[in-house]
């Protein structure tokens, strides 16, 4: 039996070894081939399996496993396939499973619980005295919820193991003879929820179709809004304060008090841009940047750094403005509204329900990452003359120390060691990026989800969510060539650099946005273009041959290895900036 996986045309990939059956680890010989369809720019991986079961496969480029290239393939027999189809049609199914680990606790003896799968979620429940259900944990049915498959050879019960991880809660480990049917049912619900495809363009089309469908009873009639330029944020908030969902779905016609302009669309676009600037510009202190310049990604400003007149209601208003932009864009290109903001990756991650960890500092707070996080990761903490504890000092906007916060219970008495320094860094990220701004994010989400259902937002990752909300912007190759830095003077690097300019000259706007995301952490340029990037976009030679390009977002640095030909270079560059995003996954 065969299964096909689609990838971008031009990705010169190899299957790392041969697919292995999970429960035995034995490789499957002669199990794959590639099919190329140049007319539709598609490369297809065809896998051949001798029988039903769960198999693991790895896709690599030049010996390097690509992101999302390590995946499992479930092959069902005819009876199992019929069961999955029946589950999807019924839209709700329950399976008895045995729970091995929950909330970080591993049970000495497995517990009998029940797994409920619906088009929106997967829930585990335990029945008390066989009658009273007790909720244990719920996972949203979205791409961030991942399944891991393990062998059962060391498990007395003999059934296969399934580990569920959504990047937000602690992993759950369970065993069930119906593991493959549970996973396949979940996957079919997921594909149905995101329109049947995992490419960004297809998910964007599906998202906009579903938003239109969600608001089909709300008419896009005109509604008049009068605001003043002098107090734009306050007057806009006051004008829309009493609006319900149906009002937010109407076509805003803007009047600036004291001006004679008639709104044929231009004033509305100007109003959106001005309101976004008032909400998200760090100088206005509703959002702030961890970097001292204007290029930093913006994050909600905690209450201890925010002026007292900027109440939480403004975050709810900001969420509604973003939701309004997404709704308008779903109506077609003539209504398209982009959010003029550069949101931090950790903020975007929290909008789609992901957990925050220390690696987000590299994008969001590069100064802290270089000065503290990287230092702790690369050095022996226990040999330092000064001690670090599980605490964080909190300062107000003027630099005055307010308090010292425990990052974990009794943190002021728990020293950071080499063994627990990752736990410390994650706790630091949780406090600085999440806990300290929890009310602000909750109010933002309240406004956003009033117009856009959260289950639709969750079909994207944080990079895709930025592209969806903020767009790609416009890019000038001439501006790029005039404003960049170089490191490397060899003949080989000059050759690769020439290939680089040829490649980016042929990039679409989305590919340029991906290149910027990959190198700088943000898909948008400052208002002044590449000239205002600080540090400059830095292209350097990597001392390797044939590997994928790498990047250091702290320094806006792109590292390019050497290659035999332009074709190899272009394939590697495209693969790096789109790494694993084009549909490798479980079928």
């Amino acid at each position: 039996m065969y299964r096909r996986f689609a990838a971008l045309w031009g990705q010169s990939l190899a299957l790392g070894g041969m697919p292995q059956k999970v429960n035995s680890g034995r490789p499957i010989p002669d199990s794959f081939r590639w099919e190329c369809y140049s007319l539709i720019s598609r490369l297809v991986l065809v896998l051949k399996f001798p029988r039903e079961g769960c198999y693991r496969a790895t896709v690599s480029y030049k010996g390097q496993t690509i992101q999302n290239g390590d995946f499992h393939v479930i092959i069902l027999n005819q009876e199992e396939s019929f069961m999955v189809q029946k589950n999807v049609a019924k839209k709700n199914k329950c399976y008895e499973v045995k729970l091995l680990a929950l909330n970080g606790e591993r049970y000495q003896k497995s517990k009998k619980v029940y797994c409920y799968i619906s088009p929106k979620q997967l829930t585990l429940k335990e029945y008390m005295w066989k009658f009273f259900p007790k909720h244990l944990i719920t996972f949203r049915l979205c791409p961030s919820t991942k399944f891991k498959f393990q062998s059962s050879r060391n498990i007395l019960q003999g059934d296969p193991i399934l580990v569920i991880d959504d990047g937000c809660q602690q992993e759950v480990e369970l065993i069930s003879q119906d593991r493959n049917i549970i996973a396949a049912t979940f996957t079919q619900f997921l594909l149905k929820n995101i329109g049947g495809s995992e490419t960004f363009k297809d998910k964007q089309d599906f998202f906009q179709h579903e938003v239109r469908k969600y608001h089909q009873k709300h008419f896009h009639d005109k509604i008049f809004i009068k605001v003043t330029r002098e107090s734009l944020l306050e007057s806009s908030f006051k004008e829309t304060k009493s609006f319900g969902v149906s009002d937010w779905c109407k076509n805003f016609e803007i009047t600036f008090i004291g001006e004679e302009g008639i709104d044929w669309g231009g004033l509305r676009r100007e109003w959106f841009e001005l309101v976004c600037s008032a909400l998200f510009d760090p100088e206005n202190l509703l959002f702030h940047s961890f970097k001292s310049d204007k290029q930093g990604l913006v994050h909600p400003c905690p209450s201890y750094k925010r002026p007292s007149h900027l109440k939480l209601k403004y975050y709810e208003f900001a969420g509604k403005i973003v939701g309004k932009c997404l709704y308008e864009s779903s109506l077609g290109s003539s209504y398209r509204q982009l959010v003029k903001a550069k949101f931090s990756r950790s903020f975007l991650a929290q909008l789609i329900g992901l957990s925050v960890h220390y690696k987000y500092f590299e994008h969001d707070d590069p100064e802290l990452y270089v000065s503290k996080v990287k230092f702790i990761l690369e050095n022996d903490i226990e040999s330092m003359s000064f001690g670090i504890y599980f605490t964080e000092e909190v300062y107000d906007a003027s630099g005055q120390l307010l308090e010292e916060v425990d990052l974990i219970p009794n943190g002021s008495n728990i020293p950071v060691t080499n063994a627990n320094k990752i736990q410390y860094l994650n706790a630091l990220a949780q406090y600085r990026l999440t806990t300290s701004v929890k009310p602000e994010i909750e109010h933002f989400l309240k406004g956003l989800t009033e117009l856009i259902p959260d289950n639709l937002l969750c079909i994207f990752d944080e990079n895709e969510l930025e592209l969806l909300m903020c767009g790609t912007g416009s890019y000038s190759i001439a501006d790029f060539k005039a404003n960049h830095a170089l490191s490397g003077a060899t003949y080989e690097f000059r050759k690769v650099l020439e290939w680089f300019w040829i490649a980016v000259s042929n990039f679409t706007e989305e590919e340029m946005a991906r290149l910027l995301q990959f190198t700088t952490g943000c898909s948008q340029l400052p208002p002044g273009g590449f000239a205002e990037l600080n540090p400059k976009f830095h292209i350097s030679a990597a001392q390797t041959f044939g590997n994928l390009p790498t990047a250091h977002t702290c320094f806006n640095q792109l590292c390019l290895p050497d290659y035999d030909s332009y074709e190899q270079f272009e394939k590697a560059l495209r693969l790096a900036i789109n790494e694993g995003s084009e549909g490798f996954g479980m079928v």
Side-chain angles (χ1 to χ4, degrees):
M1 56 188 73
Y2 291 86
R3 289 297 182 270
R4 284 176 165 79
F5 296 81
L8 282 177
W9 167 253
Q11 295 177 356
S12 179
L13 304 176
L15 203 65
M18 293 177 283
Q20 298 179 345
K21 196 161 186 180
V22 170
N23 63 349
S24 67
R26 292 193 298 270
I28 312 298
D30 303 322
S31 55
F32 71 95
R33 71 173 189 271
W34 293 99
E35 293 182 356
C36 302
Y37 300 92
S38 56
L39 293 178
I40 59 174
S41 300
R42 190 165 293 271
L43 178 66
V44 174
L45 170 61
V46 183
L47 301 177
K48 179 182 179 182
F49 301 96
R51 62 183 61 85
E52 69 270 9
C54 181
Y55 298 84
R56 179 183 177 184
T58 303
V59 178
S60 59
Y61 178 86
K62 296 286 185 177
Q64 180 180 351
T65 302
I66 70 170
Q67 183 181 333
N68 294 335
D70 187 351
F71 58 94
H72 289 86
V73 183
I74 293 176
I75 302 298
L76 305 177
N77 59 35
Q78 190 171 0
E79 182 181 351
E80 291 171 333
S81 179
F82 175 76
M83 287 294 298
V84 172
Q85 293 174 22
K86 188 176 178 180
N87 291 346
V88 173
K90 191 177 179 182
K91 297 186 177 181
N92 208 329
K93 183 63 179 177
C94 174
Y95 287 95
E96 180 182 312
V97 299
K98 296 175 181 177
L99 188 62
L100 297 178
L102 176 69
N103 296 327
E105 178 186 358
R106 177 168 293 277
Y107 303 117
Q108 292 183 347
K109 183 179 179 181
S110 63
K111 297 174 65 174
K112 184 172 77 171
V113 299
Y114 293 87
C115 176
Y116 292 84
I117 314 174
S118 73
K120 292 188 176 181
Q121 60 193 28
L122 183 150
T123 301
L124 295 182
K125 293 182 181 180
E126 179 183 16
Y127 278 84
M128 313 297 290
W129 301 292
K130 297 184 179 181
F131 295 105
F132 303 103
K134 177 185 177 183
H135 174 269
L136 297 177
I137 193 169
T138 293
F139 295 96
R140 290 184 303 170
L141 204 140
C142 61
S144 61
T145 301
K146 307 292 186 184
F147 286 173
K148 301 175 186 176
F149 303 88
Q150 298 178 3
S151 169
S152 60
R153 55 191 169 192
N154 294 325
I155 303 298
L156 295 177
Q157 290 87 343
D159 291 329
I161 302 172
L162 179 63
V163 179
I164 308 175
D165 180 16
D166 64 357
C168 184
Q169 306 171 96
Q170 290 187 303
E171 291 183 350
V172 167
E173 190 173 325
L174 51 87
I175 54 177
S176 172
Q177 62 182 0
D178 299 309
R179 179 191 69 177
N180 293 352
I181 296 178
I182 292 172
T185 301
F186 182 96
T187 304
Q188 289 303 308
F189 275 138
L190 174 61
L191 288 173
K192 193 174 181 180
N193 285 356
I194 64 176
S197 172
E198 292 187 62
T199 66
F200 172 71
K201 181 63 172 64
D202 288 344
K203 286 197 284 188
Q204 182 184 37
D205 291 342
F206 174 78
F207 171 86
Q208 293 178 343
H209 174 270
E210 291 298 303
V211 168
R212 291 194 300 271
K213 183 178 176 182
Y214 183 75
H215 291 293
Q216 60 185 343
K217 294 183 180 180
H218 299 137
F219 299 104
H220 202 236
D221 300 330
K222 286 185 178 180
I223 188 169
F224 297 93
I225 297 178
K226 295 182 179 181
V227 297
T228 62
R229 289 187 184 272
E230 293 75 18
S231 56
L232 181 77
L233 183 58
E234 292 77 10
S235 60
S236 298
F237 174 79
K238 185 177 179 180
E239 278 286 288
T240 60
K241 187 176 181 180
S242 61
F243 279 12
V245 175
S246 61
D247 296 316
W248 279 99
C249 290
K250 290 181 179 178
N251 187 16
F252 288 5
E253 187 163 306
I254 305 298
T255 298
F256 288 99
I257 297 174
E259 300 181 16
E260 297 181 355
I262 299 176
D263 190 2
W264 294 97
L267 292 179
R268 182 178 68 248
R269 287 192 295 273
E270 182 186 8
W271 177 80
F272 271 110
E273 186 164 341
L274 292 174
V275 168
C276 285
S277 178
L279 288 169
F280 306 123
D281 191 324
E283 292 184 358
N284 297 326
L285 298 179
L286 199 64
F287 282 71
H288 74 126
S289 170
F290 294 109
K291 291 180 68 176
S292 55
D293 57 40
K294 293 184 178 181
Q295 295 177 38
L297 306 178
V298 297
H299 198 76
C301 195
S303 59
Y304 55 82
K305 288 187 176 182
R306 195 171 67 245
S308 58
H309 71 279
L310 293 177
K311 305 295 185 182
L312 289 173
K313 61 187 180 182
Y314 282 104
Y315 289 96
E316 186 176 341
F317 176 66
K320 289 178 180 177
I321 290 294
V322 172
K324 174 68 171 173
C325 288
L326 292 173
Y327 170 70
E328 292 288 321
S329 297
S330 73
L331 300 180
S333 57
S334 60
Y335 293 101
R336 190 183 187 201
Q337 297 291 346
L338 297 178
V339 180
K340 297 298 182 181
K342 299 178 182 179
F343 295 116
S344 68
R345 284 295 170 277
S346 56
F347 176 64
L348 293 168
Q350 291 173 79
L351 296 185
I352 54 178
L354 296 181
S355 179
V356 170
H357 47 75
Y358 76 88
K359 293 181 181 178
Y360 280 99
F361 281 131
E362 184 173 3
H363 288 100
D364 297 352
D365 194 350
E367 293 174 0
L368 178 74
Y369 182 82
V370 172
S371 64
K372 185 171 185 176
V373 176
K374 194 175 180 184
F375 177 83
I376 290 175
L377 288 172
E378 296 177 352
N379 289 279
D380 181 3
I381 298 300
E382 297 170 16
S383 66
M384 303 296 174
S385 57
F386 55 90
I388 304 176
Y389 291 83
F390 277 77
T391 60
E392 171 72 349
E393 294 180 340
V394 178
Y395 297 86
D396 63 15
S398 64
Q400 184 73 28
L401 177 64
L402 297 177
E403 61 176 329
E404 188 175 70
V405 176
D406 282 354
L407 299 178
I408 60 175
N410 198 32
S412 58
N413 295 317
I414 302 176
V416 178
T417 65
N418 292 325
N420 66 16
K421 62 183 180 181
I422 297 297
Q423 181 189 359
Y424 164 74
L425 292 175
N426 284 331
L428 182 65
Q430 277 291 320
Y431 177 76
R432 288 178 64 99
L433 303 176
T434 301
T435 307
S436 64
V437 290
K438 185 177 180 180
E440 289 79 5
I441 292 177
E442 287 178 345
H443 277 75
F444 185 94
L445 272 171
K446 180 182 178 183
L448 176 58
T449 55
E450 194 168 315
L451 291 167
I452 307 296
D454 60 351
N455 65 297
L456 289 181
L457 294 172
C458 293
I459 71 176
F460 302 98
D461 63 28
E462 55 265 54
N463 289 330
E464 292 171 333
L465 186 61
E466 185 201 25
L467 289 175
L468 181 74
M469 295 194 306
C470 307
T472 58
S474 58
Y475 312 100
S476 166
I477 300 302
D479 177 33
F480 193 1
K481 287 184 175 181
N483 296 283
H484 68 279
L486 293 175
S487 292
T490 64
Y491 165 77
E492 289 79 9
F493 178 64
R494 292 198 302 272
K495 173 191 66 178
V496 171
L497 184 63
E498 182 179 343
W499 291 343
F500 174 78
W501 294 121
I502 295 173
V504 297
S505 297
N506 294 317
F507 273 7
T508 64
E509 284 195 350
E510 182 182 334
E511 287 172 325
M512 278 299 298
R514 293 284 191 179
L515 175 64
L516 277 174
Q517 276 184 337
F518 180 70
T519 309
T520 72
C522 180
S523 68
Q524 297 184 69
L525 289 169
F530 284 94
E532 288 190 4
L533 268 182
N534 185 22
K536 283 187 176 296
F537 195 108
H538 189 176
I539 308 171
S540 64
Q543 304 304 313
T544 55
F545 180 85
N547 294 343
L548 292 176
T550 57
H552 304 283
T553 57
C554 294
F555 311 106
N556 295 341
Q557 184 178 20
L558 177 66
C559 303
L560 300 177
D562 189 18
Y563 300 90
D564 278 331
S565 66
Y566 170 77
E567 288 74 19
Q568 287 183 358
F569 165 76
E570 184 185 28
K571 291 172 184 177
L573 182 62
R574 290 181 186 273
L575 181 58
I577 65 175
N578 293 283
E579 190 175 340
S581 66
E582 291 299 328
F584 288 103
M586 185 180 67
V587 170

